[in-house]
Amino acid sequence: MIKFLHEELDYNVVAFESGLAEVGLTNEMILDISPDQSMKNGILGIWHTDHNVDLFTYFKEQKNTSNPIQIAGFDMQPHGNNSLYDYFVQFDATFAQKVQDIELDYDNFIRVMEAGDFPEDGEEKQQALIAKYESVLNEWNELHSSFKKDVNEDVTKLIERIFSLRIRSLTENYIRVNYPNGVGFTNFANNARDKVMSDNLVWLLEEMYPDEKFILWAHNAHIMKKNSIVKNEYNYVLVNMIEQLPAEIKEQAYGIGLYMHSGNSAFNDRSVMPVYSDHKVNSVEYLLHQPGYPVSFLNIDIVDDENNTYWWNSEATSKSLGQYEEKYIPSEQYDGLILIEEANYPSYR
């Protein structure tokens, strides 16, 4: 689908639910490293699969063509890998190591909170990290013009946003109120994360690639039109990324929900996640399964008939992650739907 949209319809940016820092800098290094390493540096580990090595091979092949494809990230979460070091070391090894050390401290700080325990000295650690990021941002601004390898204006903007985003996350997101002890992620913390992702996406659309069409790669919960009105058994409310976008951007978007009828998927830790196939007769999975195709696509961005009989304009159910039931009106959340008849556990790298 990505190849078709790029080659036939001029969609030249693929933006992932992965770190703005990690994917953005991988985009700059993609010609110099292997597709496998680009994938591992750029996107979150849940997507480190054989199929995506093929995709990153395609990204690399297209880079030097007359119609290159760019990759970007819009998430605020760090990956805990060496992507920032790998980029900066080509300019200055001391600076690269300084950034790497700060990134490691930042990642360790966040993992403690997400496990459900905001540190007693959390505010002190926040301020120390903020000071360190302000320091490397100032150092970058002072030094980058003297680096032997040229840095274009867009990359300069990207790097400044990377460090500014780290500071913002420590000021607004990774704070005590969002992470009560013993709880980990709260609704508010996730809503705040989606707000940052929404802001990052606007920045990418308006500042980095203002004349390009984008493909967004993210979980259904982030690309639904209004996830906050979706009903679920946990009464979990997420004001998602798309919902928080400016109206003029939302009006130009076409959102596709991806669902599974049966088989196996995986949790973030790569443990097997069975897809429950006990679908209700008013479910997205049951109704898209009826034609019997291995993969089904349905455009639901169409005007209803005079009798209002299209099922996607009435409340339906579906299984988030193939397990957790949700209720919503499909046409209020998506413009199209895809069903994979039998999902298979991925071949990880």
Side-chain angles (χ1 to χ4, degrees):
M1 184 184 292
I2 288 173
K3 290 180 179 179
F4 174 82
L5 289 172
H6 172 59
E7 294 172 3
E8 302 296 332
L9 298 174
D10 293 323
Y11 281 78
N12 295 331
V13 181
V14 180
F16 291 90
E17 183 194 339
S18 293
L20 178 138
E22 290 81 358
V23 189
L25 294 181
T26 297
N27 186 57
E28 298 306 312
M29 298 185 287
I30 201 164
L31 286 174
D32 301 320
I33 56 180
S34 70
D36 181 77
Q37 193 60 50
S38 294
M39 175 189 70
K40 291 176 178 175
N41 277 8
I43 58 177
L44 291 168
I46 188 64
W47 296 311
H48 293 177
T49 68
D50 286 350
H51 283 113
N52 282 335
V53 172
D54 295 339
L55 180 60
F56 274 77
T57 299
Y58 177 75
F59 292 154
K60 183 173 183 175
E61 291 170 348
Q62 294 298 305
K63 198 68 171 178
N64 274 337
T65 68
S66 60
N67 187 36
I69 192 165
Q70 311 295 336
I71 58 172
F74 49 80
D75 207 343
M76 55 171 278
Q77 296 183 108
H79 294 195
N81 62 28
N82 297 327
S83 55
L84 273 71
Y85 177 86
D86 290 347
Y87 180 76
F88 288 119
V89 74
Q90 65 186 308
F91 305 119
D92 186 286
T94 301
F95 181 77
Q97 188 60 55
K98 185 181 293 186
V99 173
Q100 176 76 350
D101 292 343
I102 299 169
E103 284 286 290
L104 180 60
D105 290 343
Y106 177 68
D107 188 66
N108 289 338
F109 178 66
I110 291 166
R111 300 310 163 204
V112 170
M113 278 187 291
E114 291 181 347
D117 186 17
F118 192 91
E120 288 186 11
D121 60 347
E123 285 78 9
E124 290 83 354
K125 290 182 175 179
Q126 283 173 323
Q127 292 306 311
L129 283 167
I130 289 170
K132 290 178 180 178
Y133 277 118
E134 288 174 342
S135 175
V136 294
L137 177 56
N138 289 334
E139 188 172 344
W140 168 258
N141 289 332
E142 292 171 2
L143 296 178
H144 82 271
S145 60
S146 65
F147 290 155
K148 294 179 181 178
K149 185 174 181 179
D150 292 337
V151 180
N152 66 46
E153 183 180 348
D154 283 343
V155 178
T156 298
K157 289 193 298 186
L158 172 65
I159 292 170
E160 289 176 351
R161 187 165 183 91
I162 287 169
F163 292 136
S164 297
L165 184 61
R166 294 291 196 249
I167 294 168
R168 175 183 174 181
S169 70
L170 289 162
T171 304
E172 301 178 9
N173 300 93
Y174 296 117
I175 56 180
R176 189 178 297 275
V177 68
N178 287 354
Y179 294 89
N181 285 349
V183 176
F185 251 178
T186 63
N187 285 12
F188 188 79
N190 251 339
N191 291 337
R193 175 192 169 214
D194 270 67
K195 172 57 178 170
V196 176
M197 293 201 295
S198 180
D199 290 348
N200 283 340
L201 184 54
V202 172
W203 180 79
L204 288 166
L205 286 162
E206 296 182 348
E207 298 293 330
M208 286 293 285
Y209 305 106
D211 301 317
E212 300 290 358
K213 293 189 285 189
F214 276 58
I215 301 167
L216 301 188
W217 173 306
H219 188 276
N220 286 343
H222 298 300
I223 58 94
M224 283 178 152
K225 295 182 181 182
K226 197 170 183 180
N227 189 273
S228 62
I229 64 172
V230 173
K231 302 171 187 175
N232 60 73
E233 57 188 296
Y234 303 105
N235 294 319
Y236 183 83
V237 178
L238 174 65
V239 184
N240 70 346
M241 174 182 73
I242 296 297
E243 193 168 349
Q244 299 186 64
L245 287 173
E248 60 270 22
I249 293 178
K250 288 191 283 187
E251 289 170 2
Q252 299 176 57
Y254 186 96
I256 302 175
L258 178 62
Y259 290 93
M260 305 169 285
H261 185 267
S262 60
N264 290 291
S265 183
F267 289 98
N268 284 347
D269 64 2
R270 300 187 177 183
S271 58
V272 176
M273 175 192 292
V275 175
Y276 298 158
S277 55
D278 55 334
H279 304 296
K280 294 180 178 178
V281 295
N282 72 327
S283 69
V284 168
E285 294 91 344
Y286 178 88
L287 292 161
L288 289 179
H289 166 72
Q290 295 310 299
Y293 298 117
V295 180
S296 300
F297 168 74
L298 179 65
N299 174 43
I300 60 174
D301 184 28
I302 54 178
V303 178
D304 209 336
D305 65 9
E306 61 183 12
N307 296 315
N308 193 35
T309 58
Y310 295 160
W311 63 262
W312 50 84
N313 291 325
S314 301
E315 186 173 80
T317 68
S318 69
K319 289 186 172 67
S320 178
L321 303 174
Q323 293 193 353
Y324 309 107
E325 186 174 278
E326 297 179 329
K327 295 180 182 179
Y328 54 89
I329 296 173
S331 60
E332 290 183 349
Q333 301 295 342
Y334 301 114
D335 301 295
L337 297 165
I338 290 177
L339 180 75
I340 306 298
E341 176 64 24
E342 183 177 0
N344 296 302
Y345 183 81
S347 177
Y348 282 112
R349 290 293 183 108

